[in-house]
Amino acid sequence: MKTTRTLVAGALFAGLAGLGGSAWAMNSPAGIDILHGTRDGHAWQSGGFGSSEVAAMNRQATPYNLRLAFSEGRHNDYVTGLKLRIENEAGKPVFTLSGAGPLTDVALAPGQYKIVADYHGVPRVDSVTLKKGEPLNLYLHWPKDEA
């Protein structure tokens, strides 16, 4: 399957479903529900429902060096509820999360990683190289007719 990879810069927004695993909602004003936690030894945050949540995530983005954004269809509607797996160079899973998106930030050590995101049984796979002090944004897209 073809994977679309684009650097994302700017506000992204969409619906947010519940996330499984070790998580807690941040105490934020007026209905902002960004989930944070540590999973598999890596800090993460996920959310992005509306511009307020995107702004809140951006304000708290410093500890994370990988931002993932997920969308579908020709209008790039952002999606949530993905199964996310990040593997190291050896193919060993180093981070997993069910219910990810529409934005998910993860703190990982510098290195090469394979990103596998599954949306309604349709996987998208890409790889990234994280360098010290250089945050990276990865955008994964599903055509509407596949999901």
Side-chain angles (χ1 to χ4, degrees), residues 83-108:
K83 294 178 185 173
L84 175 63
R85 184 177 75 245
I86 300 175
E87 300 173 357
N88 65 14
E89 263 186 290
K92 177 184 175 193
V94 296
F95 181 82
T96 58
L97 185 63
S98 293
L103 300 178
T104 300
D105 296 338
V106 184
L108 297 166

Side-chain angles (χ1 to χ4, degrees), residues 2-10 12 66-71 76 78 103 115 124-128 135-142:
K2 185 177 183 219
T3 300
T4 301
R5 181 179 175 174
T6 305
L7 291 181
V8 176
L12 305 172
L66 178 62
R67 170 160 288 178
L68 302 166
F70 310 105
S71 71
N76 294 317
Y78 288 93
L103 300 178
I115 312 298
R124 287 288 179 262
V125 180
D126 209 331
S127 59
V128 297
L136 181 71
N137 299 309
L138 179 65
Y139 175 69
L140 297 172
H141 180 79
W142 286 259

Side-chain angles (χ1 to χ4, degrees), residues 32-49:
I32 295 178
D33 291 320
I34 299 167
L35 299 178
H36 296 249
T38 301
R39 176 168 290 241
D40 305 323
H42 302 283
W44 61 274
Q45 69 175 357
S46 192
F49 178 58

Side-chain angles (χ1 to χ4, degrees), residues 113-132:
Y113 297 93
K114 178 175 152 182
I115 312 298
V116 181
D118 184 291
Y119 181 61
H120 294 301
V122 179
R124 287 288 179 262
V125 180
D126 209 331
S127 59
V128 297
T129 300
L130 298 176
K131 298 177 182 175
K132 185 176 180 177

